[in-house]
Amino acid sequence: MGPLTGIRVVEFTGIGPAPMAGMLLADLGASVIRLDRPPAADAVNAGADGPHMSEGRTVLGADLKTDGGRALARDLVARADVLLEGFRPGVMERLGLGPDACLALNPRLVFARVTGWGQDGPLARTAGHDMNYVSVNGALHAIGRAGGPPVPPINLLGDFAGGTMFAVTGILAALVERQSSGRGQVVDAAMVDGSSLLMSMVHEDRARGAWSDERGTNYLDTGAPWYDVYECSDGGHVSVGCIEPQFYSAFLAGLGLTGEDLPGQWDRDGWPRLRERFAEVLRTRSRDEWAAVFDGVDACVMPVLSLEEAPDHPHVRARGTLVRHGSRVVPGPAPRFDRTPGGVTRGRERPDTGTTLREWGITG
């Protein structure tokens, strides 16, 4: 019974950030009904794989181009606390299911919209993907090594950090505000906005003259030799993030470099020499040998584990951060709650459709 138990969400099937938001809300205990095209819904309910991050919640088929499909959607919206959609701007309006229509039907509804460009602006109706959204706001430019091109951070930064997480934040904030106003509202979660906000620290440092637009030259972007990834003798890697002086001292001690005549930690002119020396020493042992050297030492050094290895790390295993479910690796719930812990929708049996509908007050 998670903290959102009793909250009802109607989710319009999409890709990427919107279904992940539905997944997180379901993990937190919300009752989520996902509307999909009838053939797709029938296939999923018969045991076929659904879209990414769509497991563990009730799926109903609804052809939104028909009167019957739209009537079903409106019935659900009238009973829901949250509507979640990730279509391009204007799609829901053309279906007769835009914010004006839905809020007239259910004034307490939180109408959450997650898109790349947002609901307005010159690019609002333009196609795009994660790396496009983080291109125009400067975030992608800042990621990469000196002298090299920008490196796309998979689709973590735009889609899921900038999109999903801000959509969920907006939904939760709107639900809290509704307690005092009694009214719902529209949440416009744009990936271009959210990922920009995630760059706040970089913008602050840049305003203070502590961050250069030249990527790979700053203290958190692999410019500093004590905040980087190094190859070991076996081809594995360790991550080094010893920013604070006490952690840096412990790092030098672990490498056996205490007392060696080296440039100061923040001597930027000396960073190339430090990098060369660190790389030289770290190549003398394997990844796991270095992990053993720094085990229990506050030097901010950790082995870089593969996706296959990660679930077996002692800390990850102890917290259930990643769990093996058959042949799959399933991420655990986050964040954690002491009284009302959430669950995990991945790998779980899909809720019985009839039971869910009865809980929503829909019969027949």
Side-chain angles (χ1 to χ4, degrees):
M1 300 293 283
L4 292 185
T5 296
I7 295 296
R8 297 172 177 173
V9 180
V10 56
E11 172 194 344
F12 289 78
T13 291
I15 60 173
M20 187 175 188
M23 180 190 84
L24 294 179
L25 295 172
D27 282 358
L28 292 174
S31 174
V32 182
I33 294 179
R34 185 165 61 82
L35 287 181
D36 206 339
R37 291 172 294 108
D42 291 343
V44 166
N45 286 321
D49 290 335
H52 291 111
M53 298 165 296
S54 64
E55 295 178 83
R57 43 205 194 268
T58 298
V59 181
L60 286 181
D63 184 349
L64 299 178
K65 295 180 180 179
T66 68
D67 292 340
R70 290 191 295 271
L72 173 59
R74 284 194 294 270
D75 194 8
L76 292 172
V77 167
R79 303 165 190 267
D81 297 286
V82 178
L83 182 156
L84 174 63
E85 61 99 352
F87 301 133
R88 287 201 206 182
V91 171
M92 291 292 282
E93 285 82 352
R94 288 196 296 274
L95 293 170
L97 296 168
D100 291 344
C102 289
L103 284 166
L105 189 65
N106 180 357
R108 291 176 53 83
L109 182 72
V110 174
F111 194 115
R113 325 189 78 170
V114 54
T115 60
W117 302 114
Q119 296 300 310
D120 53 36
L123 294 176
R125 296 174 185 267
T126 305
H129 278 295
D130 180 290
M131 72 163 64
N132 305 128
Y133 312 133
V134 300
S135 294
V136 301
N137 64 10
L140 182 57
H141 171 85
I143 303 172
R145 294 191 175 276
V151 178
I154 320 181
N155 63 334
L156 296 179
L157 184 55
D159 280 354
F160 300 130
T164 295
M165 295 306 175
F166 281 91
V168 172
T169 299
I171 289 168
L172 299 180
L175 288 173
V176 171
E177 192 278 337
R178 191 183 70 174
Q179 292 178 340
S180 58
S181 70
R183 300 170 56 197
Q185 59 184 305
V186 178
V187 176
D188 176 4
M191 298 170 222
V192 67
D193 298 342
S195 54
S196 293
L197 192 56
L198 292 170
M199 292 288 288
S200 293
M201 180 175 161
V202 170
H203 284 293
E204 288 185 20
D205 276 349
R206 188 167 177 269
R208 294 168 180 164
W211 193 278
S212 168
D213 247 1
E214 184 181 353
R215 68 179 155 272
T217 65
N218 302 288
Y219 70 106
L220 293 178
D221 64 356
T222 74
W226 32 262
Y227 201 89
D228 206 344
V229 174
Y230 288 90
E231 186 174 5
C232 304
S233 63
D234 61 345
H237 295 82
V238 292
S239 62
V240 177
C242 48
I243 301 174
E244 293 79 4
Q246 68 272 27
F247 304 148
Y248 183 67
S249 294
F251 172 61
L252 293 182
L255 296 187
L257 297 178
T258 301
E260 184 169 316
D261 183 20
L262 295 171
Q265 179 183 1
W266 287 90
D267 176 5
R268 288 177 176 265
D269 292 337
W271 280 1
R273 184 180 162 200
L274 284 177
R275 182 181 302 280
E276 182 179 2
R277 187 69 177 115
F278 295 164
E280 178 184 25
V281 174
L282 288 166
R283 278 195 297 266
T284 63
R285 299 188 187 185
S286 71
R287 181 198 69 179
D288 292 345
E289 287 174 326
W290 284 118
V293 167
F294 289 103
D295 184 31
V297 178
D298 278 345
C300 302
V301 178
M302 288 290 159
V304 178
L305 302 183
S306 70
L307 295 174
E308 176 61 29
E309 295 173 304
D312 298 318
H313 185 275
H315 186 83
V316 173
R317 186 172 60 245
R319 285 185 60 83
T321 300
L322 294 170
V323 178
R324 295 191 187 278
H325 184 83
S327 61
R328 300 175 56 185
V329 172
V330 179
R336 309 294 174 86
F337 299 85
D338 68 339
R339 289 191 300 102
T340 57
V344 175
T345 54
R346 278 76 68 209
R348 189 178 76 184
E349 284 190 19
R350 200 172 298 281
D352 178 71
T353 301
T355 300
T356 301
L357 291 177
R358 285 192 294 273
E359 290 172 348
W360 280 53
I362 299 175
T363 58

